[in-house]
Amino acid sequence: MKAIVCTKYGPPEVLQIKEVEKPTPKDNEVLIKIHASAVTVSDCIVRSGKVNILLWIPMRIFVGFRRPRRSILGLELAGEIEAIGKDIKRFKKGDQVFAFNRRKFGTYAEYTCMREDGLFMPDDGLVAINHQCKL
């Protein structure tokens, strides 16, 4: 699959489109085919690595010291469930969803995996069914 990868901190030019391995959902995860991802100010701050001096150390601990620990950035997405793990109960293949992938990033790609229980444990992110529109 294709993904936009960030291998070092810097201006937008550090982003590159690369071929990466398509993720496989674990038992408690869904595989989402991403149709749209938002580019937010948070993504730009993480990519640039430029923050207030008081936030520099906490950010580098969370995100990575020399480069982003997770090379595929992006926090928000809209897409469709393509596959589900064996323990999934709330979603089925073909569900239209939107999601916030809080700590894992990874929405600047064609696919990502997210946990089903994010709605109740939003530490990792949350996924919700989009009943309003068809993608």
Side-chain angles (χ1 to χ4, degrees):
M1 74 167 186
K2 288 187 173 57
I4 298 175
V5 177
C6 181
T7 58
K8 62 183 179 180
Y9 294 113
E13 291 77 22
V14 302
L15 299 173
Q16 301 172 357
I17 297 177
K18 290 190 173 182
E19 197 67 34
V20 298
E21 189 174 326
K22 182 177 174 181
T24 303
K26 297 178 184 167
D27 292 345
N28 65 340
E29 290 181 333
V30 294
L31 175 67
I32 302 171
K33 178 173 178 44
I34 299 172
H35 294 293
S37 178
V39 177
T40 67
V41 70
S42 299
D43 300 319
C44 295
I45 290 169
V46 168
R47 185 221 356 104
S48 72
K50 293 181 181 177
V51 293
N52 179 302
I53 193 70
L54 297 174
L55 298 175
W56 191 88
I57 290 179
M59 183 191 136
R60 294 296 171 107
I61 290 170
F62 177 69
V63 178
F65 277 95
R66 294 188 175 164
R67 64 186 177 283
R69 192 173 293 116
R70 301 194 185 272
S71 62
I72 302 172
L73 302 178
L75 296 171
E76 301 170 0
L77 68 87
E80 181 177 336
I81 303 288
E82 184 165 290
I84 61 173
K86 69 176 184 146
D87 297 335
I88 299 299
K89 294 175 179 51
R90 288 186 17 232
F91 300 103
K92 64 184 181 312
K93 186 176 176 183
D95 282 346
Q96 304 293 313
V97 297
F98 58 94
F100 176 69
N101 206 0
R102 181 176 168 193
R103 289 192 185 175
K104 288 177 56 179
F105 296 105
T107 67
Y108 291 178
E110 292 181 292
Y111 295 90
T112 194
C113 288
M114 292 187 68
R115 291 173 48 159
E116 175 186 45
D117 61 4
L119 184 58
F120 302 105
M121 307 202 40
D123 233 8
D124 292 329
L126 79 106
V127 182
I129 294 176
N130 184 358
H131 294 288
Q132 297 300 315
C133 68
K134 301 289 182 198
L135 295 176

